Amino acid sequence: MRQLSLFKLAVVFLTRVPIKLSGPVSDEHINRATRYFACVGLCIGVLMALLLWAMSLFLPFGVVIVFTLGASLLLTGAFHEDGFADVWDGFGGGWSRQQKLDIMKDSRLGTYGSVALLILLLSKFQLMLALSENLSALLCSVVLAQTLSRVSATSLIGKLPYVQLDSQSKVKPIAKSLNAQCRTILYVTGGVVLFLTYLLSLMSIWQIVTLIATLWVTRGLCQLWFKHQLGGYTGDCLGAAQQVSEIAIYTYCVVSFL
């Protein structure tokens, strides 16, 4: 029951699914719930894949992909996309560390964030449209992207110091630590998804190894980026890392499958 409660908390944290939680939620509960972030990503990916497959039976793929991306934004409340836009607004518009943090905590969307979001969504659309030439590849890529991007982003916790914002800011709840058990469950979830992909003959061992290497490099670049800009990370940074990792996975799959 305790693990089920943590999974439910992870679902509530990452999505807009209306699940009732029993009792108050502390920072430590959120820290422990990180172990199931990849599981939530897997659920999102499976739902997106099912929607893609069902709509592809009677609609053109361009329309199907737009509707699926829209459904995913509704499901997650654009949680990670919001962080991605805030990061670009802050890093693009601020000169000092404090200026960047001040811009990132502002709920208004600026030019840098707007342009970054536009490029992000267009990139997802074009990459998924390219993968639609092979429906199995597209469905597999969606599940991999939603799961592994959350493994990559969540694993950044603890790699850098958390940058504390003041109490007046638009602070989103965020996990600030990732213990060994949480990290292990996170990686095992990603490993199981990759193993199933291999068993279904959708990817070879070599493709899986190179995908892991791609994600490792992507996470490393994000880590260096955040360290250079802020000397640490915020919740928005984790959202940005998830979106960057998602794009990296789709790009890899286009190169790999086509």
Side-chain angles (χ1 to χ4, degrees):
M1 291 301 296
R2 181 183 175 188
Q3 296 306 311
L4 178 59
S5 296
L6 290 176
F7 176 74
K8 288 166 63 177
L9 176 57
V11 172
V12 170
F13 188 83
L14 295 179
T15 74
R16 291 294 181 89
V17 177
I19 296 178
K20 185 177 181 180
L21 299 175
S22 58
V25 176
S26 66
D27 289 344
E28 184 55 32
H29 289 140
I30 295 176
N31 288 337
R32 293 202 297 265
T34 54
R35 68 190 68 185
Y36 293 120
F37 280 9
C39 291
V40 176
L42 174 59
C43 294
I44 294 171
V46 170
L47 288 174
M48 288 178 64
L50 288 173
L51 186 60
L52 272 168
W53 172 80
M55 289 194 297
S56 68
L57 299 176
F58 55 89
L59 287 173
F61 269 111
V63 177
V64 169
I65 291 169
V66 170
F67 285 175
T68 302
L69 288 175
S72 71
L73 291 174
L74 289 174
L75 179 62
T76 62
F79 185 58
H80 299 303
E81 287 82 0
D82 179 55
F84 180 82
D86 284 343
V87 162
W88 280 103
D89 271 338
F91 291 3
W95 290 97
S96 67
R97 175 176 175 269
Q98 189 56 50
Q99 283 180 330
K100 293 170 186 176
L101 290 173
D102 288 340
I103 294 172
M104 288 167 68
K105 71 187 180 186
D106 193 331
S107 59
R108 292 170 295 182
L109 185 61
T111 302
Y112 285 103
S114 300
V115 172
L117 268 181
L118 178 62
I119 294 174
L120 175 74
L121 294 174
L122 283 174
S123 298
K124 287 184 183 182
F125 174 79
Q126 288 294 336
L127 290 167
M128 292 174 71
L129 188 61
L131 285 164
S132 66
E133 295 180 15
N134 182 338
L135 182 57
S136 296
L138 175 59
L139 300 180
C140 174
S141 299
V142 167
V143 175
L144 287 174
Q146 297 302 316
T147 308
L148 299 183
S149 64
R150 285 168 175 81
V151 174
S152 180
T154 308
S155 66
L156 270 174
I157 298 172
K159 298 291 184 181
L160 290 170
Y162 176 72
V163 180
Q164 186 67 46
L165 300 178
D166 62 73
S167 59
Q168 304 299 318
S169 67
K170 182 200 68 173
V171 180
K172 303 166 188 172
I174 180 63
K176 302 179 182 69
S177 65
L178 194 67
N179 62 35
Q181 184 184 41
C182 291
R183 196 176 293 275
T184 299
I185 293 174
L186 191 71
Y187 288 146
V188 167
T189 304
V192 168
V193 172
L194 287 171
F195 183 63
L196 290 175
T197 303
Y198 171 73
L199 286 183
L200 294 171
S201 300
L202 295 171
M203 296 183 81
S204 66
I205 290 292
W206 171 248
Q207 288 174 316
I208 289 174
V209 170
T210 50
L211 174 57
I212 293 172
T214 299
L215 282 173
W216 183 80
V217 171
T218 302
R219 189 190 70 171
L221 291 174
C222 286
Q223 184 175 340
L224 290 174
W225 187 33
F226 302 149
K227 183 177 181 180
H228 173 72
Q229 294 286 340
L230 297 177
Y233 77 95
T234 67
D236 288 331
C237 292
L238 296 183
Q242 187 276 328
Q243 290 293 296
V244 171
S245 298
E246 189 176 328
I247 290 294
I249 294 168
Y250 283 133
T251 303
Y252 175 84
C253 289
V254 168
V255 174
S256 181
F257 286 127
L258 303 181

